[in-house]
Amino acid sequence: MSILPYTLGICMVAITISMFLCLIRLVIGPSIVDRLLALDTLFLNATCLIIILGIYWASTAFFEGALLVAMLGFVSTVALARYFTTGHVVD
């Protein structure tokens, strides 16, 4: 009997709770920096959740999806940070 499915289930629940808390911070964050950090953390949690689902269902397609989400999260965080500091994204 393997303990892996139970461990992955606990990880999925923990990441889901973390995503919910990041969503709350994204909505009510007192400053734009808090909202931007919550969005970045939300992307990170989504990437982790996709990877754990890929392990749970033993599918390699999820890892490519996680890579795409991670790249999209990085680019959007950098673009939004640049926009909020300078007022434009591209010079």
Side-chain angles (χ1 to χ4, degrees):
M1 185 166 132
S2 176
I3 196 166
L4 185 65
Y6 299 113
T7 307
L8 292 175
I10 290 170
C11 289
M12 284 188 270
V13 169
I15 291 173
T16 304
I17 291 170
S18 176
M19 288 178 77
F20 179 70
L21 293 174
C22 287
L23 185 63
I24 290 173
R25 177 56 58 193
L26 185 65
V27 172
I28 66 167
S31 70
I32 199 68
V33 175
D34 291 328
R35 291 180 177 169
L36 187 61
L37 288 173
L39 181 67
D40 189 41
T41 308
L42 196 61
F43 272 115
L44 180 67
N45 286 333
T47 303
C48 292
L49 187 64
I50 292 170
I51 289 173
I52 290 188
L53 285 172
I55 294 170
Y56 186 74
W57 286 325
S59 174
T60 58
F62 284 95
F63 300 114
E64 294 173 6
L67 181 63
L68 289 174
V69 170
M71 289 189 315
L72 179 67
F74 174 74
V75 169
S76 67
T77 301
V78 169
L80 283 172
R82 172 104 180 185
Y83 176 73
F84 290 137
T85 57
T86 63
H88 58 280
V89 177
V90 178
D91 285 331

